[in-house]
Amino acid sequence: MTVPALALVELAAGPRPAPHLPPVVLGPSLGTSVRALWGAVARELGRDRRVLGWDLPGHGASAATDEPFTMAELARGVLEALDRTEDLSGRPFHYAGNSVGGCVGQQLLLDAPDRVLAAVLLGTAARVGQPQAWAERARLVAAAGTPTQVTGSAQRWFAPGFLEREPATATALLHDLQGADRFSYARVCEALERFDARDRLGAVRAPVLAVAGAHDAATPPADATALAEGTGGRAVILQDAAHLIPAESPAEVARLLAGHFAADPHPEGARA
């Protein structure tokens, strides 16, 4: 196992970002780039704070890898990417992640409680799907590539009507999927196969907001409710979304993130 080298992506920073506000770090879903998934949300949040994202191995700006890694090592890769940037090194931040980005968020909450001030976990769960299904998908994609996932993902990712209503956004996300490195994608599947934080959620101390799409079959609303109950947080269900919630409902997601992070009772630097 190894810590993957992840690229940090500057998504937004308004002309006058408030220096007392912590940066916001955003995490992607499997098969997407953070810019395509979170770009519209970042533009809203970036009016008064710095917004960054990270890309999965072999996705977006991050280099490909065929080395196996765990979810904990992926989370460590996020911290190392931040710490390579001088003005972010060691600095606490607000975090939001979708799907596997939400799993990394849970890992960060558990492994780096001094860094994560508050978190929004979208379209995710303490265990996503079934281990055998992830193992099978990893083998298929490693052998035949990510184009094998495009049709199924188009059906799972978006609520009814989104493809017709927002074709440019949907096309960009599916293009990311088709262009993702097949071996890196398979390694993320294997990390998801092994990930299970259900017995550890009670150790989370930062404020958590869990968000689900009402049409999400991969991580249904019950998963968000379980995350909220396990972490002492709260859950919100968005009626017009499925799995890629930041792309489907960017204005509502930006509002939820801004409200949750503003309610964080621990301003940056206040934790021991």
Side-chain angles (χ1 to χ4, degrees):
M1 299 292 180
T2 186
V3 175
L6 304 177
L8 205 59
V9 181
E10 293 275 358
L11 293 173
R16 295 182 182 88
H20 66 285
L21 293 177
V24 176
V25 179
L26 303 175
S29 179
L30 177 60
T32 74
S33 70
V34 73
R35 188 177 297 280
L37 180 62
W38 282 99
V41 175
R43 285 190 291 274
E44 290 293 320
L45 295 177
R47 294 174 180 175
D48 60 2
R49 65 170 74 206
R50 187 177 182 186
V51 184
L52 309 103
W54 57 274
D55 276 321
L56 289 161
H59 296 60
S62 286
T65 184
D66 193 25
E67 295 295 323
F69 50 81
T70 64
M71 202 66 67
E73 288 164 333
L74 198 53
R76 171 52 56 184
V78 173
L79 294 175
E80 290 185 0
L82 291 167
D83 289 345
R84 286 194 297 270
T85 304
E86 184 176 357
D87 61 339
L88 296 173
S89 182
R91 186 177 177 185
F93 53 89
H94 287 142
Y95 183 85
N98 194 88
S99 193
V100 68
C103 296
V104 169
Q106 294 169 63
Q107 200 74 56
L108 288 167
L109 287 163
L110 292 165
D111 296 348
D114 57 326
R115 298 292 297 276
V116 185
L117 297 167
V120 181
L121 309 174
L122 305 95
T124 193
R127 186 182 73 175
V128 178
Q130 296 299 320
Q132 184 59 34
W134 287 117
E136 292 171 359
R137 191 190 298 191
R139 287 192 292 270
L140 173 61
V141 171
T146 54
T148 60
Q149 302 302 303
V150 170
T151 299
S153 294
Q155 296 168 349
R156 292 190 303 272
W157 279 359
F158 310 116
F162 182 82
L163 282 165
E164 295 75 23
R165 189 169 63 251
E166 299 288 348
T169 300
T171 298
L173 289 160
L174 291 168
H175 179 77
D176 282 345
L177 172 60
Q178 188 156 339
D181 174 69
R182 60 177 174 160
F183 299 111
S184 303
Y185 184 106
R187 293 306 192 190
V188 178
C189 290
E190 292 167 357
L192 284 163
E193 176 190 354
R194 294 185 292 268
F195 176 72
D196 189 343
R198 289 175 295 177
D199 292 339
R200 299 183 64 197
L201 294 179
V204 171
R205 293 293 174 262
V208 170
L209 173 64
V211 182
H215 298 275
D216 191 353
T219 51
D223 288 338
T225 300
L227 271 178
E229 291 176 349
T231 58
R234 66 186 184 96
V236 171
I237 312 304
L238 299 186
Q239 296 302 315
D240 295 327
H243 192 58
L244 295 192
I245 304 170
E248 294 178 278
S249 302
E252 181 66 10
V253 168
R255 186 188 69 79
L256 289 170
L257 265 61
H260 184 66
F261 295 152
D264 171 21
H266 301 283
E268 185 177 4
R271 290 185 183 171

